[in-house]
Amino acid sequence: MQPMIAVRMRGISKRYFPSGIRANDEAMLEVERGSIHAIVGENGAGKTTLMKILAGLELPDAGTIEIEGKPVHIQSPAHARELGIGMVHQHFLMFDDLTTAENIFFGLEPLRVSKIPGVLGILDRQSLVEQTRRIAADYGFVLDPMAQAGDLSISARQQVEILRQLARNLHILILDEPTSVLTEQETTALFEKLAEIRRMGHTIIIVTHKIDEVMRIADRVTVMRQGKTIGTYDIAATTANELACLIMGTNVCEEISPRTEPAAQGPVVFQIEGLRARGHHHGETGVTDLHFAVHAGEVLGVCALSGNGLAELEDALGGFLVPSKGFCIFDGSRLDIRRIHEYRQLLKKGAIGYLPSDRMRRSMALSLTVRDNFMAVSRTRYFHRGWFRSTLATRQTQDALHSFDISAQPEQKTVELSGGNIQKLAIARLFSIQLPKLLILCEPTWGLDIKSTENVHRRILDAKAAGSAILILSSDVDEILALADSIMVLYRGRAVLLASNSGELNRERIGEYLLGARSE
Amino acid sequence: MMHSERELPAGARIALAVALSIALAAAVLALFTKDFSPALGQFFFEPFANRYFFGNYIADSVPLMIAGLGVLIAFRSRNFNLGGEGQIYAGAIAAGMLALSLPERISPAEAWLFAALAGMVAGGLIGALSGILKALWHVSEMISSFLISAIVLNVGDYLITGPFQDPASNFQTTRQISSQLLLPRILAPSKLDISVFIGLALIAVLAIMSKHTRPGFELRVCGENEEFARYCGIPVALYQSAAMAISGALYGLAGALIVMGPQARVMRGFSSGLGWSAISVALLAQSSEAGVLPSALFIAYLKAGSDHVMIGSGVPSEIISILQAAAMFFITARHFPVRKRRRP
């Protein structure tokens, strides 16, 4: 007997206005019921758009959709839920002030019949908690029903999101980049749960660009490129390398470039002593008592889970947060880092290059043109006696767009660019001026596809070879392992690990430090 | 539904707002006048009918140009200057008091210059106050500028009707400014004077500064995204305070030029509503300095047309106010419902 097809999408096209970009171009998808189906592709390949159409968040311009063999026109997220389709977004949508149980059963709360006439019913807390325990146990999740959602870890929040879909009897689950925020251990745990959910007959669609995870968990995989479906393959009959080739559309597909040999380390360029900074949110620790040094020609990778001080470290080093204590020694001169104006001069003069993790707000003004964003940081060069040299600015923007392979025009509004291209523009801006002595790169490749990631990694290693000191702040352990000469792990604002990246450190080991299970 | 509304391109939106305002004006005339076609003529054509009407119409557009630029500069830095009423008044009173106390032998050109500077300083200081309050203590500039304006208006009323009241007049006004110190008229017998050239020059200068100079660029970056501006090392607080100060100074200049031109004195409440009309001018101009010129001409045209209908056909002034409010409403609407695209 043929396996039943849970989802069949044909000839799906979607064009976004006003840019006219075709996010989907006659895309196709067939997902077997009770399977884990991965959708892979580069940034802007149209994976997320296709899934938004399936979840009723976007309406297609053309194409047909069949759910369990029945043709449907999915009009809205509510309609998609009626059809049994639910989506867990990359950025979780939940009520931080409600409990786990309330978040899972939101809108479906068990009610007790009220004794007061005219009043419909009151929340039955007891049964709410019991139901939560039951559904969590059914799928092998461990959650405290009474915990406040805002206090949960990222992976626990994700579990709440998944359970919320399951509580609504949604049997087609879409997960958008589910592992991008998880540690190795958490990813393994998530995959075990997904396998359990599959065993119970549900269909799972995972959108991702991590090929190794596809090989680990998926039954079948659909490759997308430039809005089109390239093909669907059985995992058993394909290899990681083949998939990488299909995704990139090239015949030669290198693995991510390996770390260069540790360059002959130069003198210390940047040193931090006793840095302390308050947490962004009330009750968060910020960073406490940090000491580290970066040499010329060295990459120091700093890794932490969210809420453990990485954001505060970024803001302190980027000049956005006045630390409460600490000294910084830059190029031999010692500076009280609380004197933020003096520290900011280093950034302003271009001695320190800083790539923010927040692309949408800090590193770009989306409403400005690509050229304006490109020239804003080193703008003095584009004004001659205060007068704007527009040809020069346009030409240099064009050169940078070309050399970083960014498909955009200088006069285009930046908001029309894909997230990946915006990041590439930010990196192009950093590398197109004279190489700074210190580079502070925060989540440099978050959300970038394989080809762009590789390109960025090569630039970083080139800068290192040219003698820059490089500090990478990243939640991506693989990236840190691939690039860094030394690794620092923050847990609750303190450095629990600061060691050279020798063969002894691997994902699992670093995962233990990240979770605070291990400390030096 | 999700996509039933779509933001129209700016040009189409403005054209639609202008067309709707004009259509509404015609509809109001059809409803409230006994004789439709002469009223239509009074509204649409009388402002151009002769030198006198045309000159007055253009003269009314000059303060709108200058004050509209003031609002626009504040917009550029993402600040909303709602204190225009008070800043115009302050500029007018400062200019008026200065002109009244100038020695006899001073040349007219010097008088114009000093009066204009006095108006700009008065308005600019008041505007800067809101900017500084925001930079230092995060006081919303909308609220502070509005409240400060309310105080300034009352202080101004006191000055005009108290120490500076013209004892020889039955009106609440200061003494008249010596006629040789006033701005020379052009296009007599209308009230149009050479301040129109100041308005046009300011539009040109600010348009060029905004597009071609570094301060213009940096101000734009501050306005579009404060955090990004900080990342670029632009002194955001300085730009925000400066933009509010310039905004106030332009308002003050608008007031000063009215006093040194058509009014020749400071009358109580003479500028009432001008600050708000300037906001419509800036909104209509779609944050383009050059766009201030057609916008000011359009808003002044609505007012001139309405005045002619009011006098010629006896339409009550309340109806005219409704019409102007509705025009403002069309201009500020960012979304117009667009027919939902049919699903395939």
Side-chain angles (χ1 to χ4, degrees):
Chain A
M1 199 186 87
Q2 277 251 314
M4 176 91 171
I5 300 297
V7 176
R8 176 178 277 140
M9 301 176 85
R10 282 202 180 151
I12 301 287
S13 292
K14 173 79 188 174
R15 199 194 266 258
Y16 281 115
F17 288 94
S19 58
I21 288 165
R22 274 178 200 279
N24 281 161
D25 188 2
E26 311 234 323
M28 306 195 329
L29 179 67
E30 266 183 18
V31 180
E32 289 171 10
R33 179 197 245 174
S35 69
I36 295 182
H37 194 108
I39 301 181
V40 294
E42 303 200 298
N43 301 117
K47 308 167 293 218
T48 302
T49 303
L50 192 66
M51 288 304 99
K52 281 183 173 170
I53 289 170
L54 185 57
L57 290 159
E58 296 276 2
L59 302 177
D61 298 332
T64 58
I65 303 175
E66 288 173 26
I67 302 297
E68 310 283 355
K70 279 194 273 315
V72 289
H73 283 294
I74 302 174
Q75 301 280 359
S76 66
H79 187 194
R81 280 197 293 275
E82 277 169 38
L83 296 166
I85 304 165
M87 184 156 174
V88 176
H89 294 271
Q90 207 171 346
H91 305 286
F92 307 136
L93 312 165
M94 53 170 59
F95 304 101
D96 285 350
D97 294 334
L98 299 184
T99 64
T100 308
E102 286 163 339
N103 264 297
I104 292 172
F105 285 96
F106 185 78
L108 311 167
E109 298 89 346
L111 297 178
R112 252 183 312 161
V113 179
S114 146
K115 290 187 186 88
I116 312 161
V119 177
L120 286 175
I122 41 181
L123 179 63
D124 187 348
R125 276 183 195 284
Q126 186 107 42
S127 124
L128 181 67
V129 169
E130 273 163 25
Q131 284 188 17
T132 307
R133 288 224 171 85
R134 203 174 316 131
I135 191 165
D138 283 352
Y139 292 97
F141 289 66
V142 184
L143 280 174
D144 173 8
M146 301 305 286
Q148 197 164 316
D151 297 338
L152 296 176
S153 70
I154 299 276
S155 69
R157 287 160 79 87
Q158 188 178 47
Q159 295 179 17
V160 171
E161 285 269 342
I162 293 172
L163 283 177
R164 182 194 285 162
Q165 314 297 332
L166 295 171
R168 282 161 173 72
N169 287 320
L170 304 183
H171 49 268
I172 300 171
L173 282 183
I174 305 166
L175 299 152
D176 191 6
E177 303 280 358
T179 61
S180 62
V181 287
L182 301 183
T183 62
E184 182 60 24
Q185 283 84 347
E186 289 170 331
T187 302
T188 307
L190 172 71
F191 285 175
E192 282 166 10
K193 307 225 164 76
L194 292 183
E196 180 67 19
I197 294 168
R198 168 179 57 186
R199 203 182 54 76
M200 297 179 76
H202 297 289
T203 307
I204 297 168
I205 305 175
I206 293 181
V207 178
T208 180
H209 54 240
K210 295 186 182 166
I211 294 173
D212 58 326
E213 292 178 358
V214 173
M215 302 307 291
R216 267 165 77 189
I217 182 78
D219 302 307
R220 302 180 78 210
V221 54
T222 294
V223 178
M224 292 188 72
R225 199 194 313 145
Q226 289 169 358
K228 292 190 173 68
T229 303
I230 301 302
T232 297
Y233 311 90
D234 277 321
I235 289 297
T238 188
T239 64
N241 206 329
E242 260 173 36
L243 276 182
C245 285
L246 288 164
I247 290 169
M248 289 194 264
T250 53
N251 293 324
V252 197
C253 333
E254 312 155 42
E255 292 291 306
I256 287 182
S257 46
R259 186 161 54 99
T260 53
E261 284 310 300
Q265 274 186 7
V268 172
V269 171
F270 185 67
Q271 194 171 346
I272 285 290
E273 285 178 355
L275 178 71
R276 173 197 277 273
R278 239 176 328 171
H280 283 161
H281 302 290
H282 181 73
E284 275 181 18
T285 41
V287 289
T288 311
D289 202 24
L290 280 191
H291 295 264
F292 60 85
V294 202
H295 299 76
E298 183 198 20
V299 178
L300 171 63
V302 186
C303 203
L305 295 179
S306 77
N308 283 284
L310 204 60
E312 287 83 358
L313 180 62
E314 174 185 345
D315 281 358
L317 297 181
F320 277 82
L321 174 74
V322 186
S324 39
K325 211 171 140 189
F327 286 91
C328 129
I329 301 165
F330 182 79
D331 216 12
S333 48
R334 188 178 160 97
L335 179 72
D336 187 335
I337 201 166
R338 285 174 300 180
R339 300 165 78 154
I340 194 86
H341 290 287
E342 286 173 38
Y343 179 75
R344 278 187 194 140
Q345 283 303 316
L346 296 173
L347 290 154
K348 206 174 163 183
K349 281 187 307 193
I352 300 179
Y354 161 48
L355 177 77
S357 59
D358 182 346
R359 293 108 201 241
M360 299 306 167
R361 281 185 337 130
R362 188 172 294 174
S363 79
M364 290 286 156
L366 295 181
S367 47
L368 292 178
T369 62
V370 168
R371 185 194 70 187
D372 286 353
N373 270 308
F374 178 79
M375 58 172 272
V377 175
S378 51
R379 60 196 170 286
T380 41
R381 298 195 302 155
Y382 302 103
F383 289 94
H384 181 64
R385 296 189 178 159
W387 208 251
F388 182 39
R389 303 156 80 184
S390 76
T391 13
L392 177 75
T394 307
R395 200 180 59 231
Q396 296 206 351
T397 309
Q398 220 137 26
D399 291 349
L401 293 177
H402 185 76
S403 93
F404 279 80
D405 196 21
I406 304 167
S407 45
Q409 292 302 314
E411 299 301 332
Q412 207 178 352
K413 286 252 187 284
T414 311
V415 67
E416 292 176 8
L417 271 56
S418 72
N421 276 337
I422 288 176
Q423 178 67 352
K424 285 203 269 183
L425 179 62
I427 289 168
R429 185 172 60 193
L430 202 59
F431 283 103
S432 61
I433 47 179
Q434 199 193 8
L435 206 56
K437 286 198 167 155
L438 171 70
L439 281 165
I440 301 170
L441 309 172
C442 301
E443 309 285 357
T445 60
W446 194 86
L448 288 189
D449 53 48
I450 308 169
K451 216 192 307 181
S452 313
T453 301
E454 205 178 316
N455 192 343
V456 172
H457 285 178
R458 202 175 311 118
R459 300 270 176 176
I460 294 174
L461 295 176
D462 286 351
K464 168 182 154 175
S468 277
I470 297 169
L471 189 59
I472 299 179
L473 275 57
S474 174
S475 51
D476 182 347
V477 178
D478 289 334
E479 176 162 86
I480 297 282
L481 279 168
L483 292 176
D485 301 307
S486 315
I487 295 178
M488 179 160 89
V489 174
L490 301 183
Y491 176 71
R492 299 209 169 145
R494 286 175 190 277
V496 287
L497 172 73
L498 178 55
S500 83
N501 182 12
S502 56
E504 290 153 36
L505 285 172
N506 55 24
R507 276 185 185 190
E508 286 74 18
R509 210 44 197 281
I510 290 184
E512 288 168 7
Y513 284 106
L514 285 170
L515 292 167
R518 198 186 253 272
S519 149
E520 271 181 336
Chain B
M1 267 310 293
M2 301 173 58
H3 296 291
S4 61
E5 285 196 344
R6 201 178 289 275
E7 206 163 309
L8 287 176
R13 198 165 69 223
I14 290 305
L16 195 57
V18 168
L20 282 171
S21 310
I22 290 173
L24 182 82
V28 166
L29 295 182
L31 270 174
F32 291 94
T33 54
K34 283 193 230 39
D35 224 347
F36 180 54
S37 63
L40 209 58
Q42 283 156 5
F43 188 92
F44 288 109
F45 304 115
E46 223 163 65
F48 302 105
N50 54 45
R51 274 166 75 104
Y52 178 71
F53 288 158
F54 181 68
N56 282 350
Y57 155 48
I58 299 297
D60 280 340
S61 74
V62 172
L64 288 176
M65 288 178 204
I66 298 172
L69 280 175
V71 184
L72 199 85
I73 296 287
F75 274 176
R76 274 253 184 276
S77 66
R78 269 299 135 85
N79 281 307
F80 225 116
N81 182 359
L82 294 186
E85 294 278 307
Q87 289 154 11
I88 292 174
Y89 216 36
I93 291 166
M97 294 193 323
L98 185 88
L100 286 170
S101 58
L102 283 175
E104 285 289 308
R105 60 181 190 285
I106 198 160
S107 77
E110 282 172 314
W112 307 334
L113 187 68
F114 289 141
L117 281 177
M120 290 173 77
V121 168
L125 285 176
I126 295 172
L129 188 57
S130 295
I132 292 166
L133 284 175
K134 184 177 185 180
L136 289 183
W137 295 303
H138 301 282
V139 178
S140 158
E141 83 289 350
M142 273 199 246
I143 297 186
S144 72
S145 63
F146 182 77
L147 293 180
I148 293 170
S149 162
I151 297 169
V152 169
L153 285 172
N154 285 306
V155 172
D157 284 350
Y158 161 74
L159 289 173
I160 295 168
T161 58
F164 290 89
Q165 168 74 38
D166 178 3
S169 171
N170 292 325
F171 294 106
Q172 297 187 316
T173 176
T174 62
R175 281 181 294 124
Q176 191 154 349
I177 298 165
S178 152
S179 63
Q180 73 254 27
L181 295 185
L182 297 179
L183 296 166
R185 297 272 165 111
I186 50 177
L187 223 62
S190 78
K191 60 180 180 180
L192 184 64
D193 58 40
I194 58 164
S195 65
V196 65
F197 301 119
I198 300 176
L200 294 174
L202 277 172
I203 290 175
V205 167
L206 289 174
I208 289 169
M209 279 195 62
S210 159
K211 272 217 162 64
H212 298 283
T213 69
R214 192 169 147 195
F217 179 77
E218 293 183 344
L219 179 64
R220 196 160 73 233
V221 174
C222 283
E224 295 297 343
N225 183 336
E226 214 181 294
E227 182 156 353
F228 176 62
R230 238 170 235 137
Y231 171 63
C232 296
I234 296 171
V236 177
L238 178 69
Y239 268 101
Q240 287 188 336
S241 310
M244 282 301 277
I246 294 172
S247 172
L250 287 168
Y251 266 122
L253 178 64
L257 291 177
I258 296 176
V259 165
M260 296 303 288
Q263 291 267 334
R265 57 170 75 75
V266 193
M267 287 171 75
R268 179 177 179 175
F270 79 97
S271 61
S272 171
L274 188 55
W276 302 113
S277 302
I279 293 177
S280 357
V281 169
L283 287 172
L284 194 60
Q286 291 288 305
S287 59
S288 141
E289 285 80 3
V292 166
L293 179 61
S295 310
L297 288 173
F298 177 70
I299 299 287
Y301 175 60
L302 279 186
K303 183 181 177 302
S306 324
D307 287 351
H308 286 292
V309 176
M310 203 157 75
I311 297 160
S313 297
V315 178
S317 65
E318 286 79 4
I319 299 296
I320 300 298
S321 306
I322 292 173
L323 190 140
Q324 286 170 345
M328 171 96 170
F329 187 76
F330 290 134
I331 290 161
T332 50
R334 282 191 78 76
H335 293 263
F336 285 99
V338 173
R339 210 155 58 101
K340 193 175 159 187
R341 281 187 311 137
R342 232 164 46 82
R343 274 175 48 77

